[in-house]
Structure formats: C-alpha cells, structure tokens
Amino acid sequence: MTKLEVKNLTHAFVQNNTQLQVLDKLNFSVDTGQFVVLLGPSGCGKSTLFNIISGLLRPQAGEIYLNGKYIQSSPGAFGYMQQKDLLLQWRTVLKNVMIGPEIQKESLDKTRKEALKLLAQLGLQGFANSYPMQLSGGMRQRVALVRTLLFRKEILLLDEPFGALDAMTRTVMQSILLDIWDKGGQTVLLITHDIEEALLLADKIYVLTARPGSIKAEVKVSLSRPRSITDRDLINLKSELFDMLQVEMQQVFNIN
C-alpha cells in the first residue's frame, strides 16, 4: 500500500528579483513500511522537498498524498529530523527528547523509561541531565534522533541524520536505525548524498538531478540485510549510482 505519494512538485525561491528554480515536477512514492533514500548532489532541493512534505513550506505547484488522501499542510503528520538539531538550550537532554510526549499529553513516567532506553541505545547513557551546550555536534544529532522517534509518527523524514558523526559512529548508528525501523514498522524517508549509506540502508533509492531537482532514476535494492560495503553486488550498484551522480555533479559545476 502506498503511504506517501508526491506528484509534480515544483518550487522556486525569489533571489535578487529573479526566480531560483529548486524543484521541477518531482514525482515519487513510498510504500508502507519501506525504507526509502533520496540521493542527490548538494543544492538539488532535498531539504526544500522535506520542508514541503512536512508542511513547513507551501509548494508553488504539485500535490502530496498521505494514505491516499490529499494533504495541503500537515506539520503534525510526520516525524521530521532536520539537518540542524534545533535542541532547546535551556532544557536538558531528557527534557528535549520528551517534547513530543509532552505535547501529545502522554504518560511521562512511562515515556521517560523509553527515552532513557533509547538514549542508552544511541550511546548517550549518563547524559540525560546534560544540556545541549555540553555535547558534541554528533551527540546533539543523536539526541535529535531520539526526540524524533519519540514523536511516534508513522512516517519519519530524516535529513542527513548522521552528517555530523565520525565514520565509526556513523556505521553503528546506521545499524541501530535499521534495528529500530525493523522493530517499529515505521515508514522512513531519508536524505543523504553518501552512496554507501544509501545502499546500506535503503529498500529503494531515488536519485535526484542537479537543481532544479527531479527524479533521475529509481533504484531498487533487493540485497539482504545486514549488508556489507565489500559485497560484490553492492559494489556494482555503488558504481552505477556513482556514474549517475557524477553526471549531475558536472551540471552543478558546469563541467562539460
């Protein structure tokens, strides 16, 4: 069953009295329970796309359907983790991740136990009473991920969730996210420009063109999990995706 469908999404920003086209008739779909990755060069409109899907920005044209129903603007329908962690500096780590349950008036005693468990799972045990300014950038990103998960939305929009992490921590976090997704049954749409990350995580990859962003290719990843970057089939897919992205990067830098 299709969970999310984007049709002919088009958007532009006005800069110096001229229109900067960011998205151009972008179409794709995500089925219930799928892990889908959007892969594309920097500046191709990926974050703008998430802002539109989440309801933070209204598109100039196009439609979005959630569970088969047209949605105009539904900020509360998605768990959205943006590139910036957006943690509240005056709240502790625990109180930051509990914002969703507070807003939704859940039992905070029960949620607190779950929050502490998730923090420990993501390597943040002992930091529940710390403040954001006391954490590294990578730790703050992990706090933001826990906060997103505790909103308990059926669809997660994750914009470069591991961008601030070192290589080893990133690998561990990818594995943890897959485990959480597998057990929780959510539908995940994740942005990255890292080809290996896309291949390690995704059921399906949408490759975006250079700005204005549109879908260049849909690549299904049928490899069993857990996956290894040394697997021959994965290496072949990596080469295929690299060639696609190289063409788009040449467009970004006007290389003939």
Side-chain angles (χ1 to χ4, degrees):
M1 178 180 176
T2 300
K3 189 72 175 176
L4 178 69
E5 190 172 11
V6 173
K7 292 186 175 182
N8 295 315
L9 209 62
T10 299
H11 195 72
F13 294 107
V14 177
Q15 289 188 354
N16 300 321
N17 296 320
T18 60
Q19 281 207 338
L20 178 67
Q21 195 73 28
V22 179
L23 300 172
D24 182 32
K25 296 180 181 177
L26 189 144
N27 293 271
F28 70 91
S29 63
V30 181
D31 291 340
T32 300
Q34 271 193 322
F35 199 123
V36 174
V37 169
L38 294 170
L39 179 68
S42 296
C44 70
K46 300 187 294 294
S47 295
T48 298
L49 170 63
F50 269 19
N51 286 336
I52 291 172
I53 292 173
S54 65
L56 297 178
L57 183 66
R58 181 167 293 187
Q60 290 180 326
E63 301 171 332
I64 299 172
Y65 293 86
L66 181 61
N67 294 321
K69 296 181 179 180
Y70 170 71
I71 58 172
Q72 179 82 28
S73 178
S74 301
F78 304 90
Y80 183 14
M81 179 179 170
Q82 296 174 274
Q83 285 186 23
K84 294 181 180 179
D85 59 74
L86 301 176
L87 299 180
L88 302 178
Q89 302 301 313
W90 60 90
R91 294 179 67 122
T92 64
V93 165
L94 183 59
K95 288 186 176 180
N96 262 287
V97 302
M98 296 276 283
I99 287 175
E102 283 182 26
I103 293 171
Q104 292 157 182
K105 301 187 184 304
E106 297 180 23
S107 169
L108 297 187
D109 287 338
K110 180 180 179 181
T111 306
R112 184 177 184 276
K113 293 178 182 178
E114 184 179 356
L116 290 171
K117 182 179 178 180
L118 279 170
L119 288 170
Q121 187 176 2
L122 272 67
L124 294 164
Q125 188 169 8
F127 289 93
N129 295 317
S130 299
Y131 287 88
M133 69 180 65
Q134 298 172 306
L135 307 179
S136 68
M139 293 169 75
R140 291 168 62 112
Q141 282 294 95
R142 284 179 272 163
V143 173
L145 178 57
V146 174
R147 179 185 59 193
T148 303
L149 293 170
L150 286 175
F151 270 94
R152 306 185 204 288
K153 300 301 180 180
E154 292 183 0
I155 300 182
L156 302 180
L157 306 176
L158 307 178
D159 189 353
E160 296 278 3
F162 309 131
L165 305 182
D166 62 85
M168 290 302 296
T169 304
R170 187 177 186 132
T171 299
V172 173
M173 291 298 299
Q174 290 166 351
S175 178
I176 291 172
L177 176 60
L178 281 175
D179 184 61
I180 292 171
W181 163 74
D182 184 54
K183 291 176 180 176
Q186 293 110 323
T187 302
V188 176
L189 186 57
L190 180 144
I191 286 172
T192 186
H193 57 259
D194 186 303
I195 297 174
E196 284 187 359
E197 180 166 83
L199 288 169
L200 289 171
L201 296 176
D203 294 317
K204 180 169 61 177
I205 299 170
Y206 285 111
V207 181
L208 274 70
T209 65
R211 189 181 70 241
S214 60
I215 300 299
K216 179 182 180 73
E218 175 185 331
V219 179
K220 293 183 179 179
V221 187
S222 56
L223 305 176
S224 60
R225 296 184 176 93
R227 298 167 184 165
S228 169
I229 59 174
T230 59
D231 180 85
R232 183 175 298 276
D233 290 332
L234 190 144
I235 291 172
N236 290 337
L237 278 174
K238 180 181 177 181
S239 177
E240 179 183 334
L241 290 169
F242 179 83
D243 289 343
M244 290 185 200
L245 284 178
Q246 188 175 42
V247 171
E248 298 310 313
M249 289 303 297
Q250 289 173 344
Q251 294 293 322
V252 172
F253 293 101
N254 295 315
I255 299 173
N256 296 321

